[in-house]
Amino acid sequence: MASCQVKGDLMMTHEEHMADYYRRLESSHLGPLWDSLQTIMTKQPKPRAIPYLWDWKSVYDFVMESGQLVTPERGGERRVVFFRNPGLENLEPWGWGSLTHTLYAGIQLLLPGEKAPSHRHNQNAIRFIVQGSGAYTVVEGERVYMEEGDFLITPSGLWHDHVHEGDEPMLWLDCLDIPLVYELGVTFFENHPEFNQPVTLPDNYSTERFVGAGLRPIQDRNNRYAPQAIYKFKETRRALDRLSNLSPDPFDGYAVEYVNPTTGAAAGHTIGAMMQKLPPRFHTDAHRHVHGAIYHVFKGEGSSVINGVQFNWKQGDTFVIPNWAWHEHINTGHDDAYLFSTNDLPVMEALHLDKSEAYPEQHQAVVGTFKDDRITTS
Ligand code: GTQ
């Protein structure tokens, strides 16, 4: 073979041979590792996702405008405006809706009287109710009523549809592992034969079964899914109030994770989620971890310093902390701040990639501020 490749080219210089070799290698869909190793195997994570923040006012206006333009009944399945990380949006085709490398997120709107059709897919979904009440989602035969601050899961493979019986717009944050499943090349999606699936279980059945106190209904012993469909804000706040009498976590303040009550694993399976409470003037220590995180400000105002850049936030804003980015949070308001967030820590843990470290000093030096969609250096 070797003699065949250089046959007739005995006069080629080394450089010419190299260039010719690279051309032939490329057209044979092969690659030289000695040229790419440092690019692919970087010393530290180099996520293409970047830190970014979306102001609630502009997202809300776009979402409400979509209410005049499209309906979930016809065509589109779900009326959602999703976030596109500027560092990922040009990565066709899956970069269209990635906020982190594994997670998609958007704001869904359901208007009074509307219904969104029943479907199932192998992506996991979680929802966090931002505004409104009176709508329910049906997950595998169970009707679950949603109110502000509630956290819900729609595990992979379960039928789900949404119905609004109330009289004010309902808005919630959806987070799904769409980019992860897409990149794994295993996406499945199916429509239910009926517009809405039949309700076969008592309302809020899964929550009624979980009284806490370390007790597990016997039929959930080998449940493939996290069995609790909804986590009410009333309970989340109660847990955080009780935690507030104890010492805070230096990096997250007073924080609880939404977990499967039968196993302690993330309720969202591949999607981790937590609610953290920061009292006024609370300033967390800076750290970084390999998992990416999406933050939604449920209440309060403050700022987060991400890789030295200050992002100021207030209620409704969404911001993203990419993999391995230094970050710390500060409550600059007069009331408790509640930060809801989702992350891909469960994926990192399952793959044994999880890793974190504290910033050498307590806080970062602020070298810039994010304002009007760009960073101004100071
Ligand atoms: O509510 O079922 O934001 O299937 C994206 C895909 C929401 C949903 C999204 C979905 C849903």
Side-chain angles (χ1 to χ4, degrees):
M1 284 301 285
S3 67
C4 174
Q5 285 169 7
V6 291
K7 197 175 145 201
D9 294 325
L10 290 174
M11 300 306 287
M12 276 201 293
T13 63
H14 178 73
E15 285 70 27
E16 286 166 342
H17 189 179
M18 203 70 166
D20 181 58
Y21 175 79
Y22 278 167
R23 255 194 314 276
R24 284 182 287 114
L25 209 54
E26 197 180 330
S27 64
S28 300
H29 308 287
L30 297 166
L33 180 63
W34 57 86
D35 250 14
S36 17
L37 190 129
Q38 278 89 352
T39 312
I40 298 166
M41 300 173 79
T42 54
K43 290 203 167 67
Q44 302 263 323
K46 285 208 171 130
R48 287 156 298 186
I50 63 164
Y52 204 78
L53 180 144
W54 288 263
D55 168 71
W56 176 241
K57 171 87 175 79
S58 66
V59 174
Y60 178 81
D61 287 350
F62 276 121
V63 171
M64 295 313 288
E65 197 175 338
S66 76
Q68 302 163 12
L69 299 171
V70 292
T71 67
E73 282 94 342
R74 277 181 287 113
E77 302 266 339
R78 301 291 188 259
R79 189 199 287 114
V80 182
V81 173
F82 57 79
F83 299 97
R84 306 179 73 198
N85 190 303
L88 298 171
E89 65 188 341
N90 295 324
L91 297 174
E92 294 299 336
W94 56 267
W96 58 266
S98 300
L99 189 40
T100 73
H101 287 252
T102 60
L103 296 174
Y104 149 103
I107 301 289
Q108 180 158 176
L109 169 67
L110 202 60
L111 292 170
E114 284 185 336
K115 293 176 177 166
S118 188
H119 67 207
R120 65 181 177 186
H121 38 70
N122 62 348
Q123 291 88 353
N124 288 286
I126 66 93
R127 309 180 203 289
F128 180 75
I129 311 306
V130 172
Q131 193 176 303
S133 63
Y136 61 82
T137 183
V138 187
V139 181
E140 207 69 13
E142 176 184 347
R143 195 151 49 179
V144 185
Y145 281 89
M146 307 182 281
E147 294 171 304
E148 229 171 88
D150 292 350
F151 169 83
L152 289 88
I153 58 166
T154 306
S156 162
L158 302 188
W159 294 115
H160 56 285
D161 41 271
H162 316 304
V163 179
H164 197 353
E165 292 175 333
D167 50 18
E168 50 179 347
M170 281 284 297
L171 290 97
W172 66 78
L173 176 82
D174 287 319
C175 179
L176 289 86
D177 53 4
I178 298 175
L180 174 69
V181 177
Y182 191 94
E183 198 55 14
L184 291 173
V186 293
T187 298
F188 285 98
F189 181 96
E190 202 182 339
N191 286 106
H192 196 278
E194 296 166 62
F195 189 90
N196 289 119
Q197 65 181 300
V199 174
T200 56
L201 293 167
D203 290 350
N204 302 316
Y205 176 68
S206 67
T207 322
E208 294 300 318
R209 281 184 308 153
F210 286 97
V211 294
L215 302 172
R216 175 174 65 194
I218 195 69
Q219 65 271 39
D220 284 306
R221 168 161 255 273
N222 294 312
N223 200 337
R224 175 183 160 91
Y225 307 107
Q228 188 176 330
I230 189 166
Y231 297 65
K232 303 299 289 180
F233 181 61
K234 190 169 58 129
E235 304 291 347
T236 310
R237 188 170 47 202
R238 204 162 67 93
L240 287 170
D241 286 346
R242 287 166 71 160
L243 268 186
S244 303
N245 299 322
L246 308 169
S247 45
D249 179 85
F251 305 113
D252 288 311
Y254 301 101
V256 288
E257 291 178 290
Y258 297 92
V259 298
N260 176 336
T262 68
T263 63
H269 192 49
T270 55
I271 309 172
M274 71 174 176
M275 178 72 91
Q276 57 198 102
K277 175 172 130 176
L278 306 177
R281 292 178 302 284
F282 194 95
H283 190 161
T284 68
D285 290 355
H287 74 157
R288 65 180 174 184
H289 37 62
V290 292
H291 59 277
I294 298 165
Y295 271 77
H296 179 84
V297 183
F298 181 50
K299 288 177 194 298
E301 58 187 294
S303 61
S304 297
V305 182
I306 310 173
N307 281 343
V309 176
Q310 183 174 329
F311 290 74
N312 296 321
W313 42 255
K314 58 188 165 3
Q315 188 168 330
D317 292 354
T318 296
F319 61 95
V320 55
I321 301 176
N323 320 73
W324 210 231
W326 294 116
H327 59 280
E328 63 197 86
H329 311 292
I330 310 137
N331 177 355
T332 58
H334 299 293
D335 301 312
D336 288 338
Y338 285 86
L339 298 174
F340 172 77
S341 63
T342 63
N343 59 65
D344 56 4
L345 175 59
V347 174
M348 300 303 173
E349 285 177 335
L351 300 179
H352 291 181
L353 294 170
D354 52 314
K355 184 179 166 76
S356 66
E357 60 186 35
Y359 193 65
E361 293 143 64
Q362 213 176 1
H363 302 304
Q364 305 160 76
V366 177
V367 295
T369 307
F370 181 88
K371 196 170 185 305
D372 300 329
D373 304 339
R374 61 177 57 85
I375 295 165
T376 316
T377 46
S378 43

